[in-house]
Amino acid sequence: KLRDCCPELGAGVERLVKEWLQPVQERLKAIDEEIEAPPRAKHVNDPVWTTFELEPQEVLLIDSPLLQRLRGVKQLGLAHLVFPGANHDRFEHLCGVVNAAERVFRALQANADRRRDAEERAHRDLPKLTDQQRRLVRLAALIHDVGHGPFSHAIEPVVAARYADELKAFNDHIKGEAHLDSTVAIGELISVLIALSPQLRTVLGHTLFSGVGSTAAADKQLELATLILGARRHGQHAFLSAIISGQTDADKLDYMRRDALHSGMPIQFDTERLLSKLEIVRCTPENLPVEQLLNRQFAENCPNQQYFDIGISPPRGGGLGQMPIG
């Protein structure tokens, strides 16, 4: 249904994705026929996060034109004309977001385990995070910005004007389907169309992606689209979406530090302390703010009238419990 909202834009995206993912499909075929060895994990030396690892299924996509084209897309559009050092690109940002998403996921996992052990009765139903979810979050982080074109956000108004009717139809549909209270930008929309493309479904159906998210490739696609949008969907934990698109998401954790570094305008931001305070919190119609009408309605329709989102722990002795921020 999401793809049907954008027939012209969707058809154009699918033509490009078919070209960009053709080398991936050929490589997977060679792997199946034992002509080529499966990809191996790679280490990235990054100026923001130092050294981190990319997993084999991520390396497969990174080596494709789908991701490699982003080496030519500047992260800050035309900002390098004012800040000469701001020449970093979307490709390095995406790799950084994968690592930031891993760190947020691990922090939520550790804090949930701690609360479950220390306060068993009150928090025994806190979700237990799995490796399948972790790999899904990482993959969503890797492709969340693949919809960006030349000059990043600077070109978006031109594309949005060209496909204004389809963009409106998509937003009208997604607000009800995914409980979104914000408008989807054109770059984000294209990323979702790429995630939902038949070509990516074929790739996700390979055994190399068997440990990512759900079993069926079509379900993986819907999960990825939900995460990229920062949406809420029944049967999928809201806090996973908030890792990719939320108030304290991995995208912001990376670009705030990366943009500051390359522009020469440092931002004093304690990432480690923030990570230590991130929690999985229970959201109900009773504890959500009155103005968050969509969230309250979503909670009312969830099993046990509750869902789990990301929150920040208050200072010790505050006595207010965790504060939802999704």
Side-chain angles (χ1 to χ4, degrees):
K1 291 181 180 179
L2 293 176
R3 290 169 57 203
D4 290 344
C5 292
C6 312
E8 186 179 355
L9 179 59
V13 168
E14 286 187 16
R15 285 194 297 270
L16 289 172
V17 175
K18 183 178 181 180
E19 176 185 344
W20 293 337
L21 288 182
Q22 182 64 30
V24 175
Q25 294 174 335
E26 293 174 356
R27 190 175 178 187
L28 289 174
K29 181 180 179 182
I31 292 171
D32 290 339
E33 295 174 354
E34 298 185 350
I35 299 173
E36 181 177 339
R40 295 183 299 176
K42 288 186 177 179
H43 286 87
V44 175
N45 296 321
D46 185 74
V48 172
W49 300 105
T50 63
T51 302
F52 58 87
E53 185 176 271
L54 295 172
E55 299 187 359
Q57 70 276 6
E58 297 159 0
V59 172
L60 177 78
L61 290 177
I62 282 174
D63 288 342
S64 73
L66 177 67
L67 272 286
Q68 288 296 317
R69 57 174 282 273
L70 295 174
R71 290 184 182 274
V73 179
K74 294 187 185 298
Q75 169 78 3
L76 294 180
L78 300 173
H80 65 284
L81 299 176
V82 178
F83 303 95
N87 275 296
H88 55 303
D89 54 42
R90 287 279 163 183
F91 179 82
E92 61 183 279
H93 167 61
L94 287 178
C95 293
V97 176
V98 172
N99 180 62
E102 170 86 16
R103 298 185 67 171
V104 173
F105 186 93
R106 294 290 189 187
L108 292 173
Q109 186 177 45
N111 288 337
D113 290 345
R114 173 184 51 77
R115 288 170 59 203
R116 198 182 296 110
D117 293 341
E119 309 167 64
E120 182 178 352
R121 178 169 298 181
H123 301 291
R124 66 177 57 175
D125 63 338
L126 281 177
K128 293 186 177 181
L129 283 66
T130 67
D131 267 352
Q132 285 81 4
Q133 291 173 330
R134 180 182 62 81
R135 295 189 188 99
L136 178 73
V137 166
R138 288 176 61 100
L139 187 58
L142 185 66
I143 68 171
H144 83 282
D145 266 355
V146 290
H148 279 287
F151 309 111
S152 293
H153 294 296
I155 199 69
E156 286 187 352
V158 178
V159 183
R162 171 67 178 82
Y163 297 100
D165 292 341
E166 296 189 3
L167 181 58
K168 182 179 185 304
F170 185 93
N171 274 293
D172 289 344
H173 180 77
I174 198 66
K175 284 184 179 179
E177 287 291 317
H179 305 275
L180 277 182
D181 51 9
S182 59
T183 301
V184 178
I186 191 69
E188 191 176 15
L189 167 56
I190 295 174
S191 295
V192 169
L193 292 176
I194 292 173
L196 296 175
S197 66
Q199 294 79 16
L200 188 61
R201 182 182 306 174
T202 300
V203 172
L204 293 175
H206 192 269
T207 55
L208 192 62
F209 292 86
S210 60
V212 179
S214 295
T215 302
D219 291 335
K220 296 183 202 291
Q221 287 185 289
L222 190 54
E223 290 170 342
L224 288 171
T226 303
L227 265 60
I228 291 170
L229 290 167
R232 292 174 176 83
R233 185 171 69 90
H234 294 293
Q236 185 171 348
H237 287 306
F239 66 83
L240 296 176
S241 295
I243 295 176
I244 305 300
S245 182
Q247 297 297 316
T248 56
D249 58 44
D251 184 39
K252 294 182 181 68
L253 291 182
D254 183 81
Y255 78 64
M256 287 180 66
R257 297 180 64 182
R258 193 173 303 278
D259 294 354
L261 173 67
H262 288 285
S263 65
M265 300 183 67
I267 297 175
Q268 298 300 319
F269 185 70
D270 193 343
T271 304
E272 297 303 322
R273 181 169 178 80
L274 175 62
L275 288 171
S276 71
K277 295 296 183 181
L278 292 180
E279 301 269 9
I280 297 174
V281 299
R282 189 190 323 273
C283 298
T284 68
E286 289 73 31
N287 70 4
L288 286 166
V290 176
E291 61 271 15
Q292 292 188 14
L293 180 60
L294 286 176
N295 294 347
R296 290 165 64 90
Q297 291 174 346
F298 179 72
E300 288 172 356
N301 293 322
C302 285
N304 300 321
Q305 291 198 324
Q306 65 178 25
Y307 68 92
F308 295 97
D309 213 323
I310 291 182
I312 297 179
S313 297
R316 290 186 178 275
L320 296 177
Q322 288 73 27
M323 298 176 288
I325 57 174

